[in-house]
Amino acid sequence: GDFYGISAANTWEKIEILCTKKKISPKGRDNLKEALSKILNLRAKTHLYYKHECDDVYHPSMEIEANAY
């Protein structure tokens, strides 16, 4: 189970419940939702780039060849 005993269908609902239970502030809720949106967007773009589900992201300046994966 979850740390606060929260049962929700998805992360978005969990964030709302945490705010309702005053475990996080409304500003914290908004920040979490914004961060999650950006992360999921980056993940989707990565999947489209590699043309399959691949959660490894490499910056061009890294020495590891991205195509090796």
Side-chain angles (χ1 to χ4, degrees):
D2 294 307
F3 187 77
Y4 289 108
I6 295 171
S7 180
N10 60 59
T11 304
W12 303 103
E13 288 180 19
K14 289 180 183 184
I15 292 170
E16 283 298 327
I17 293 169
L18 285 169
C19 186
T20 301
K21 290 187 170 198
K22 300 191 186 309
K23 301 297 181 186
I24 60 173
S25 67
K27 179 72 173 168
R29 174 200 59 210
D30 295 344
N31 289 339
L32 279 172
K33 284 183 170 186
E34 182 178 351
L36 183 60
S37 291
K38 289 179 179 184
I39 290 167
L40 292 175
N41 188 338
L42 179 60
R43 185 172 189 233
K45 286 181 180 183
T46 302
H47 291 180
L48 290 171
Y49 177 82
Y50 288 110
K51 299 188 181 12
H52 63 87
E53 287 192 29
C54 176
D55 292 330
D56 298 323
V57 180
Y58 300 99
H59 189 273
S61 66
M62 295 178 67
E63 293 182 23
I64 298 173
E65 174 86 20
N67 292 330
Y69 297 92

